[in-house]
């Protein structure tokens, strides 16, 4: 059985490699990892001019 992550922004299942977004560490040094699909990444990239 494989792992099929979903985009944490649009909730669609990832069909191709996208992006990962890590939060800043909290007071205990823990971070959150978010999976982002290519479509949402392109929207973020354009919005923030990355």
């Amino acid at each position: 059985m494989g792992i099929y992550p979903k985009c944490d922004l649009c909730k669609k299942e990832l069909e191709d490699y996208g992006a990962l977004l890590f939060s800043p560490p909290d007071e205990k040094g823990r971070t959150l990892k978010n999976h982002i699909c290519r479509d949402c990444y392109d929207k973020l990239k354009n919005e923030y001019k990355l």
Side-chain angles (χ1 to χ4, degrees):
M1 179 162 83
I3 297 173
Y4 301 100
K6 292 184 179 180
C7 176
D8 288 306
L9 297 177
C10 71
K11 307 302 182 203
K12 292 181 188 172
E13 189 173 297
L14 297 179
E15 297 175 359
D16 195 5
Y17 292 110
L20 295 173
L21 174 66
F22 290 90
S23 70
D26 65 12
E27 62 279 349
K28 293 183 179 180
R30 298 177 296 193
T31 63
L32 296 174
K33 179 175 80 171
N34 296 285
H35 293 272
I36 302 174
C37 69
R38 287 181 175 258
D39 290 337
C40 288
Y41 173 76
D42 287 339
K43 289 175 189 174
L44 289 171
K45 183 177 159 186
N46 290 332
E47 185 173 336
Y48 293 102
K49 298 181 182 28
L50 301 174

